[in-house]
Amino acid sequence: MIYYFSGTGNTKWVATSIANQLQCEAIDVCKADFEASDTKEPIGFAFPIHGWQPPHIMRQFVRSLPHSIFADRYIFAVCTCGDETGLALDIFRKELQSRGMSLRLSVSVQMPNTYVCLPFMDTDPKDVETTKLEMAGPRIAMIVDKIRRREEGDYLSKGTAPWLLTHVIGEYFNRRMVNDRKFEVITQQCIHCGKCASVCPVGNISNQGIDNSFSPRWNHDNSCTGCLACYHHCPRHAILFGNITRKRGQYFFGQ
């Protein structure tokens, strides 16, 4: 069983690919209530890296689990990242330990970049995107083999100065920049399709109901995960997160 969180589809694809090869179930933590199988199959957690840390929503999910529910299971974690993980999996390991569980295997899979809200970040050029997707298949096969063999260890792209990335830059990012305050809509470009609301994993977008058409409004209730699913799925590039995203690319898995 694999519990996953995914915003733009990268992690969903990785989690379901692994689950299919292991012949187990992949469960979206945003769409299903927690359930625990009574077998001794491996338990996996899959999530994207957000600012060199695990997403808040995945940490909250682990904290909600019954204490020691998987204490006797082989537990693995797979994270997707554009480039580097920093020490995100160290943080996730501690979250599991606080609930009486032990992380045996942690692996990263590089996937196309999705974060576009900082001056030095954008989606990957098409050739880089294609290369990452081509390399992900063999990487997933390697992960499945290690899980079947019940191997232990870390197979991560931590990057240069991972402590700085996670505990300084990442800490500031996740405390101050993961919110919905800067989202806005270019009204002249919006076609009122409601796609942004349907893809939001936490239901953070409501309808303003202007002129009997769907007009998105972010709820500002602290539920935003910063995944940018709404931005990337907009068919008219009508959603902005500050002015910087006017000139940024869009990407979601399967585009």
Side-chain angles (χ1 to χ4, degrees), residues 1 21 63 139 142 148 150-151 153-154 164 169 186 216-217 220 229:
M1 185 174 294
Q21 294 185 48
R63 293 170 189 173
R139 184 76 171 176
M142 179 271 286
R148 285 176 174 157
R150 302 298 192 267
E151 293 187 18
D154 294 339
L164 176 68
I169 302 173
I186 304 173
R217 173 178 58 84
H220 305 308

Side-chain angles (χ1 to χ4, degrees), residues 190-212:
C190 179
I191 59 174
H192 312 289
C193 64
K195 184 71 173 179
C196 51
S198 67
V199 300
C200 178
V202 293
N204 184 44
I205 300 176
S206 302
N207 182 13
Q208 294 188 70
I210 299 175
D211 297 329
N212 296 318

Side-chain angles (χ1 to χ4, degrees), residues 17 124 130 165 196 215:
S17 297
D124 290 320
T130 300
L165 291 175
C196 51
S215 298

Side-chain angles (χ1 to χ4, degrees), residues 15 76 84 102 109 122 130 135 154 161 165 196 202 206 221 227 254:
F76 65 92
E84 303 163 339
S102 178
V109 179
D122 200 351
T130 300
M135 294 176 64
D154 294 339
L165 291 175
C196 51
V202 293
S206 302
D221 59 3
C227 70

Side-chain angles (χ1 to χ4, degrees), residues 49-108:
I49 297 297
H50 283 185
W52 302 285
Q53 292 189 0
H56 294 308
I57 194 167
M58 204 67 194
R59 298 173 71 174
Q60 291 165 357
F61 175 73
V62 170
R63 293 170 189 173
S64 73
L65 296 176
H67 196 277
S68 301
I69 185 68
F70 299 130
D72 60 342
R73 302 287 191 91
Y74 173 86
I75 296 178
F76 65 92
V78 180
C79 61
T80 57
C81 60
D83 296 292
E84 303 163 339
T85 67
L87 300 180
L89 271 295
D90 287 358
I91 293 175
F92 192 69
R93 177 177 285 106
K94 291 178 180 178
E95 293 285 2
L96 290 173
Q97 288 173 344
S98 72
R99 304 305 298 159
M101 293 173 276
S102 178
L103 180 61
R104 306 292 183 83
L105 176 71
S106 55
V107 190
S108 61

Side-chain angles (χ1 to χ4, degrees), residues 3 19 44 85 97 115 185 214 250:
Y3 299 99
T85 67
Q97 288 173 344
Y115 196 74
V185 178
F214 184 92
Q250 291 175 288

Side-chain angles (χ1 to χ4, degrees), residues 106-246:
S106 55
V107 190
S108 61
V109 179
Q110 282 194 331
M111 292 290 284
N113 281 314
T114 61
Y115 196 74
V116 296
C117 300
L118 290 173
F120 54 89
M121 290 186 173
D122 200 351
T123 52
D124 290 320
K126 195 65 179 180
D127 59 331
V128 175
E129 176 186 314
T130 300
T131 298
K132 285 182 176 181
L133 292 173
E134 289 175 348
M135 294 176 64
R139 184 76 171 176
I140 289 170
M142 179 271 286
I143 294 169
V144 170
D145 182 64
K146 289 186 180 298
I147 295 169
R148 285 176 174 157
R149 295 172 180 270
R150 302 298 192 267
E151 293 187 18
E152 301 188 8
D154 294 339
Y155 300 86
L156 305 166
S157 302
K158 295 183 180 181
T160 304
W163 191 92
L164 176 68
L165 291 175
T166 295
H167 295 294
V168 179
I169 302 173
E171 186 68 18
Y172 178 86
F173 171 87
N174 281 281
R175 285 185 180 274
R176 304 296 295 273
M177 299 187 67
V178 178
N179 57 66
D180 59 7
R181 291 194 295 270
K182 289 187 178 182
F183 280 116
E184 59 179 291
V185 178
I186 304 173
T187 54
Q188 301 92 326
Q189 292 178 211
C190 179
I191 59 174
H192 312 289
C193 64
K195 184 71 173 179
C196 51
S198 67
V199 300
C200 178
V202 293
N204 184 44
I205 300 176
S206 302
N207 182 13
Q208 294 188 70
I210 299 175
D211 297 329
N212 296 318
S213 299
F214 184 92
S215 298
R217 173 178 58 84
W218 285 261
N219 295 336
H220 305 308
D221 59 3
N222 297 318
S223 65
C224 181
T225 67
C227 70
L228 299 182
C230 56
Y231 165 86
H232 286 291
H233 281 85
C234 180
R236 295 295 298 274
H237 207 307
I239 292 176
L240 303 177
F241 187 85
N243 288 329
I244 194 170
T245 58
R246 288 179 183 271

